[in-house]
Amino acid sequence: MQRARTEQDLHPIHVVIVEDDPCFSDALSKVVREAPDMRLAGMASTRADGLAMLQGPPADVLLVDLGLPDGSGIDIIRAAAQQWPSCSIMVSTNFGDEMHVMQSIEAGAAGYLLKDSSPAKTVDEIRSLASGGSPISPLIARQVLERFRQGVSGSSTATSAQAAPAGSESTPLSAREKEVLDLITKGFTAHEIAKLMQLSHFTVRTFVRRIYTKLKVTSKAEAIYEARTQGILAD
Amino acid sequence: MALLAAVGALFGGAGGERQPEALLHMTQADWQVEDASGFSAPPLTQDSTALPDTWEHVELPLALPIALLRQAKDGAAAGATRVTWIKLSARDLPPTSGPLALYGVRVKTDGTIAVYANGHLVHRAQQQGPLWNSTRTPLWVVLENNADGTPLNEILLRLEHTQSAQVALSSLWLGPPEALRGSYRLREWLQQELPAMLSAAFMAVGVFALFVWFKRQHEMGYLLFFNLAATSFLRGLHFYVGLPVANDWFAWLTVNALFWLVMVVHFFLRQLHGRPLKWLTYGVVGITTTIAVLTMPNLAILRNTPQVTPLIYSVAALMGAAVCLVGGVSAWRRSNEGRLVAAGIGVCTLLGVTDWLLQNNFISPEAWYLGAYTNAVAFSVFGALMYRRYVDAIAEVEDLNASLAQRLQTREAELEDSHRRLREVERRQTISDERQRLMQDMHDGLGSSLISAIRSVEVGGMSDTKVSQILKSCLDDLKLTLDSLEPVEADLLLLLATLRYRLEPRLEGTGVSLQWEVQELPDLPWLDPSSALHILRIVQESIANILRHTRATEIRVGTALSASGVQVTIEDNGHGFDVDKALGNASASGRGLQNQRRRAQAIKGTVTWESRATGTRFVLWLPLERAVQPA
């Protein structure tokens, strides 16, 4: 942790915020500005502005609110995943509920931030995300497990035929990844899991990131499969 | 049938066209009658000049009038016979070299027929007993050329008959066989072969109907149809079998079959129009039975001879006419089929009447013999009925199938509709339950917390930190409420995990460490959102109590499987409290404990506290199975 922060001091984390609630936006930008290893690279309060910002130089972390006045933040997540592939996208949410989070992850988000998190927690989450880790809640973990269980049987043809050339990300969960998700659904924290599995707690969070990426690919493969079966996409 | 008639016409037509001039149509003859005592075999040669010279000139066709009643009376004293001689001159025959054929439409007699050419016997019909089939058998004799080359001068017919019976003779044709064969074949075909075929076909269909009846014995129509076919077959039998009707029982059968036929038709009609017609039925059955008894050979009350039968047949004709008329009137407005059958029997009766007239010399012996077609008419009529029944049955089955499909469709629609309504009711119930549950929850927790926060802010008696704390706990309440709506799929550990995930941030900076010592638990099938929220609130309250009141530094959360349920244990190392006292008073903490107990009861679980100075142990016990859903 200490070592990571030193590195970050040399290369500050560039953070971009897309948030329409001025209160939360102010609080968040204050937190970012006050963190020594972060730099606020941009702010937007609408979907249009947010998409426009993606034309600029890529940030390290993009914080997006889903409910924007002129549309959904999902569009920004999707565009950012395309245009800023190296950027870690984080969706800010009131409740971290399954519906919003899963939707965002499938669009390309790597994590989520609860809006009522304390400043310290917020900074930790941004740092963790920037260095390749992702948060997860027990309900999300259960949901992800569920998705992969369906994906193995439901979209295996699509995965093998269409998404396989895209890389190895589309392979189902490894045994360790599954074990991590399982322990999370039982209520263990990342630290406890790290101890149980003899890993560093950071590794547990990178496992989660990898799982999210697989989920995104799986959901994309499913979408392609769907499109093909419906005749929208030519073979 | 029309086709068969056409075939016959073709026979005749083909022959007729080639009629050369060498034909002799003999319409003049000489005639005389001789008394004899009984039938005798005709001599091989017969010189016409040897006969008494009492010739009378007659014109052909010859049909001598018959006194029916007298004939019947005399006929009873049988034994006496007569021989009628008919002499025809062949002198006008154009000279030909080939063989000649003699053809006549009909030679009617009840005895033997012998034909002499130039005095030599060339043809005999019916060598013993009375002749039955003379009415419908055309005369056909092929005359070979005489060995000595003398031309044919004279044809002599010797007709034996009973004393009081009268003969009849059509005009005769003489000529080359090939010129006459067409006409002969046509007569034979239409008067004998075609009726025989039709009769056999009728019988075959009748047997079919009988087998149908075996399977469907409640439908008497099929049995009647078989009886009809059988009696009409019996009636026609003597027309077609080569055997002469020498047997008395066979004669009896033939005559009586006609009555049975009429009787069966009557019963058939009764079935069709559905009227009992009591008196007619009695009459028909009575007459039929009487005739059957009277004509029985061994009783011999009425001798069944060609002299008596014409009278019997006239009774049959009257009975047929009565059945036809009454049946027709009865069926007129009721049954198309009945009308058809009545018309059919009417036609049959008329045909029978012409037959009778022909038999008894009332009409020319050259007329067509139509009696044989009664079978054909009956067959056509009942065939038409069967055809209609069959076609109607098919249509009915099709209609039935169609209506069945439609009914099924309606039923499906109804079922779908009721199912939809049921789902709608269910959905409303679910929404209502859910609303009640959330309202209750908000009322107890979130609502009252918010109100107290608002009041504090308005009155200003509370620090910002305190207000912030209250609001944060409100938000936590809200999150847990939302979490309870997520499907946890009977997984109690997942529910506890969610609770931990939500509460962990609140523990940060309190100096309290949380030990998570959970074990695998079996599924709890009853774990629905409502129960989930109760459990969340119970455990949440327990942890909140520890944080608020006990100054503990460590909380241990564990799960375990017990005999018939699961346990959630929450232990702390705080200073403890007096459980009974706390439960007894109405303070905020007391209400909290009571709430936990109430919620546990709602989900058929229990809560227990064991509190000592070194810590408190709280146990939530939950059943594995829960039969009845809590309201």
Side-chain angles (χ1 to χ4, degrees):
Chain A
M1 197 79 158
Q2 203 56 49
R3 192 177 55 85
R5 193 170 287 182
T6 331
E7 271 176 23
Q8 295 294 353
D9 285 338
L10 301 172
H11 306 284
I13 304 166
H14 287 78
V15 180
V16 166
I17 299 168
V18 183
E19 172 62 59
D20 68 319
D21 174 11
C23 262
F24 181 63
S25 183
D26 286 352
L28 200 57
S29 56
K30 186 163 170 271
V31 168
V32 172
R33 268 196 295 265
E34 282 174 3
D37 54 345
M38 290 178 201
R39 184 175 299 158
L40 187 64
M43 283 182 75
S45 59
T46 62
R47 173 181 168 277
D49 289 353
L51 288 174
M53 239 174 358
L54 294 179
Q55 305 305 319
D60 298 312
V61 173
L62 172 65
L63 261 163
V64 188
D65 185 19
L66 291 185
L68 296 171
D70 58 341
S72 172
I74 292 282
D75 296 342
I76 296 176
I77 296 173
R78 228 171 256 135
Q82 285 280 316
Q83 289 172 40
W84 291 356
S86 63
C87 174
S88 301
I89 304 159
M90 194 176 217
V91 63
S92 55
T93 155
N94 283 326
F95 301 108
D97 54 295
E98 175 261 327
M99 194 182 81
H100 286 128
V101 173
M102 289 300 282
Q103 217 182 351
S104 307
I105 290 168
E106 281 172 358
Y112 56 94
L113 179 70
L114 290 174
K115 285 189 178 182
D116 66 329
S117 299
S118 64
K121 174 94 175 163
T122 303
V123 170
D124 273 356
E125 286 294 339
I126 294 173
R127 275 191 198 122
S128 163
L129 201 75
S131 54
S134 286
I136 194 164
S137 77
L139 279 171
I140 303 284
R142 158 64 72 114
Q143 195 63 36
V144 171
L145 278 171
E146 205 59 41
R147 286 291 164 95
F148 277 106
R149 208 169 295 149
Q150 285 168 5
V152 169
S153 60
S155 64
S156 57
T157 47
T159 320
S160 57
Q162 189 65 32
S168 56
E169 301 99 310
S170 62
T171 51
L173 296 178
S174 72
R176 290 182 79 88
E177 286 163 350
K178 218 183 263 172
E179 197 182 348
V180 167
L181 289 179
D182 227 37
L183 287 169
I184 288 166
T185 64
K186 288 183 168 55
F188 294 101
T189 60
H191 283 90
E192 286 164 353
I193 293 169
K195 220 176 282 170
L196 283 167
M197 294 179 67
Q198 294 177 322
L199 300 164
S200 85
H201 85 271
F202 185 73
T203 315
V204 173
R205 298 201 78 159
T206 55
F207 268 39
V208 173
R209 168 72 64 95
R210 220 159 58 207
I211 292 165
Y212 282 171
T213 313
K214 285 182 181 178
L215 188 67
K216 187 180 85 177
V217 172
T218 306
S219 72
K220 208 179 258 172
E222 269 168 18
I224 289 166
Y225 176 74
E226 280 293 302
R228 263 171 59 190
T229 52
Q230 288 171 17
I232 298 165
L233 213 71
D235 287 309
Chain B
M1 206 181 313
L3 191 76
L4 293 172
V7 169
L10 211 70
F11 266 129
E17 272 169 40
R18 286 186 286 115
Q19 273 190 9
E21 264 90 79
L23 276 181
L24 178 65
H25 188 196
M26 297 182 284
T27 55
Q28 308 292 322
D30 289 319
W31 170 77
Q32 65 165 294
V33 178
E34 228 180 15
D35 283 334
S37 51
F39 293 120
S40 60
L44 286 175
T45 56
Q46 180 68 56
D47 191 355
S48 63
T49 53
L51 292 169
D53 194 15
T54 53
W55 295 104
E56 273 177 57
H57 183 78
V58 286
E59 297 218 344
L60 298 182
L62 172 71
L64 299 164
I66 296 173
L68 286 169
L69 289 171
R70 191 170 53 82
Q71 164 189 299
K73 211 175 274 171
D74 297 350
T81 58
R82 282 175 170 171
V83 177
T84 296
W85 295 95
I86 295 163
K87 187 173 70 175
L88 299 118
S89 169
R91 273 183 241 281
D92 298 337
L93 184 72
T96 55
S97 56
L100 290 168
L102 179 68
Y103 163 64
V105 169
R106 184 168 288 115
V107 180
K108 203 214 96 186
T109 179
D110 57 352
T112 60
I113 299 172
V115 180
Y116 296 88
N118 284 356
H120 295 275
L121 181 67
V122 290
H123 172 76
R124 285 200 311 181
Q126 183 70 3
Q127 286 154 43
Q128 52 167 2
L131 187 67
W132 284 83
N133 60 354
S134 64
T135 336
R136 53 210 153 262
T137 313
L139 179 68
W140 179 255
V141 183
V142 176
L143 308 166
E144 295 302 330
N145 283 339
N146 277 343
D148 52 10
T150 48
L152 182 64
N153 295 322
E154 188 193 69
I155 303 271
L156 184 65
L157 269 69
R158 178 184 187 266
L159 308 177
E160 269 189 320
H161 52 99
T162 47
Q163 199 170 28
S164 53
Q166 286 291 17
V167 298
L169 179 66
S170 66
S171 59
L172 300 180
W173 293 81
L174 199 58
E178 59 272 20
L180 290 169
R181 187 170 279 123
S183 307
Y184 166 66
R185 290 293 301 154
L186 181 65
R187 277 282 171 175
E188 201 183 32
W189 169 254
L190 289 180
Q191 290 190 173
Q192 286 191 303
E193 292 173 6
L194 181 60
M197 279 172 64
L198 291 170
S199 182
F202 195 11
M203 188 63 211
V205 178
V207 169
F208 173 77
L210 178 68
F211 279 95
V212 172
W213 180 77
F214 283 152
K215 281 279 164 196
R216 307 179 62 82
Q217 302 206 349
H218 58 283
E219 292 195 51
M220 290 308 288
Y222 289 104
L223 185 62
L224 285 174
F225 187 90
F226 166 70
N227 284 333
L228 201 66
T231 48
S232 97
F233 184 73
L234 290 178
R235 164 76 195 142
L237 205 54
H238 68 287
F239 297 156
Y240 322 117
V241 292
L243 282 173
V245 187
N247 186 302
D248 284 343
W249 276 106
F250 187 36
W252 177 83
L253 200 65
T254 305
V255 171
N256 278 282
L258 187 62
F259 287 87
W260 302 341
L261 198 61
V262 175
M263 187 171 72
V264 173
V265 168
H266 169 67
F267 280 111
F268 214 109
L269 270 170
R270 239 170 49 130
Q271 259 219 341
L272 289 177
H273 57 59
R275 288 189 187 175
L277 297 179
K278 246 181 173 175
W279 292 112
L280 184 64
T281 308
Y282 287 152
V284 166
V285 174
I287 290 171
T288 307
T289 319
T290 311
I291 296 287
V293 171
L294 288 178
T295 55
M296 253 188 229
N298 43 0
L299 292 178
I301 299 163
L302 261 182
R303 287 189 65 87
N304 186 18
T305 61
Q307 290 77 44
V308 180
T309 31
L311 293 176
I312 297 175
Y313 282 153
S314 61
V315 175
L318 287 174
M319 193 168 102
V323 166
C324 161
L325 280 175
V326 178
V329 168
S330 303
W332 194 250
R333 292 199 178 280
R334 288 174 171 232
S335 159
N336 283 335
E337 297 188 337
R339 278 195 307 230
L340 184 66
V341 171
I345 189 179
V347 171
C348 287
T349 308
L350 288 178
L351 292 177
V353 168
T354 65
D355 184 12
W356 187 83
L357 292 175
L358 189 68
Q359 289 272 21
N360 296 296
N361 293 1
F362 289 113
I363 53 176
S364 162
E366 287 183 15
W368 284 90
Y369 175 63
L370 299 172
Y373 284 89
T374 49
N375 259 356
V377 171
F379 182 35
S380 309
V381 166
F382 289 98
L385 292 195
M386 277 187 84
Y387 169 77
R388 267 185 59 169
R389 289 272 162 102
Y390 182 68
V391 169
D392 286 354
I394 291 176
E396 210 169 296
V397 166
E398 280 171 355
D399 283 358
L400 205 68
N401 281 345
S403 86
L404 211 64
Q406 203 189 344
R407 282 220 305 273
L408 198 70
Q409 213 173 3
T410 323
R411 256 296 151 79
E412 271 176 0
E414 277 171 17
L415 213 64
E416 174 61 32
D417 191 49
S418 81
H419 190 67
R420 192 183 50 71
R421 266 179 294 173
L422 210 67
R423 276 196 313 246
E424 178 64 17
V425 167
E426 233 167 57
R427 200 179 63 86
R428 274 188 209 170
Q429 186 60 44
T430 310
I431 289 173
S432 157
D433 287 354
E434 203 64 357
R435 197 175 64 197
Q436 203 154 5
R437 179 174 76 85
L438 290 177
M439 292 258 285
Q440 183 68 40
D441 190 67
M442 302 263 173
H443 191 269
D444 292 350
L446 197 62
S448 55
S449 298
L450 281 174
I451 286 167
S452 69
I454 291 166
R455 197 160 294 153
S456 305
V457 171
E458 281 171 355
V459 176
M462 209 181 269
S463 69
D464 285 355
T465 332
K466 188 79 184 154
V467 171
S468 162
Q469 240 173 35
I470 290 173
L471 290 177
K472 274 178 181 167
S473 81
C474 282
L475 189 60
D476 284 344
D477 278 0
L478 200 57
K479 282 177 185 167
L480 286 177
T481 307
L482 290 177
D483 288 343
S484 78
L485 293 171
E486 301 278 5
V488 295
E489 291 171 26
D491 190 348
L492 180 61
L493 269 196
L494 178 61
L495 195 66
L496 295 175
T498 301
L499 183 71
R500 183 187 187 188
Y501 176 76
R502 291 304 189 192
L503 295 184
E504 194 78 50
R506 303 288 164 255
L507 291 174
E508 276 173 19
T510 55
V512 180
S513 72
L514 183 64
Q515 301 298 315
W516 200 248
E517 294 166 354
V518 296
Q519 288 175 17
E520 279 295 350
L521 289 179
D523 284 350
L524 302 180
W526 49 266
L527 198 56
D528 57 4
S530 169
S531 311
L533 189 58
H534 281 311
I535 295 169
L536 286 174
R537 291 291 184 235
I538 292 168
V539 179
Q540 180 192 19
E541 177 75 22
S542 201
I543 291 174
N545 278 343
I546 295 169
L547 294 180
R548 241 178 275 153
H549 304 297
T550 64
R551 269 183 264 155
T553 56
E554 190 179 87
I555 302 175
R556 312 173 80 88
V557 176
T559 58
L561 186 61
S562 77
S564 58
V566 293
Q567 282 185 355
V568 180
T569 320
I570 299 162
E571 287 173 286
D572 66 72
N573 59 355
H575 55 58
F577 62 99
D578 186 337
V579 177
D580 293 335
K581 201 174 146 196
L583 277 170
N585 73 35
S587 69
S589 60
R591 275 210 310 277
L593 298 189
Q594 281 156 9
N595 262 342
Q596 281 178 300
R597 178 171 277 174
R598 186 178 51 75
R599 284 182 187 276
Q601 278 164 359
I603 54 173
K604 307 276 187 274
T606 56
V607 283
T608 48
W609 293 267
E610 287 169 35
S611 196
R612 285 185 300 274
T614 51
T616 306
R617 180 183 150 96
F618 165 81
V619 177
L620 167 65
W621 178 89
L622 297 167
L624 279 175
E625 303 280 337
R626 203 172 70 186
V628 193
Q629 292 276 104

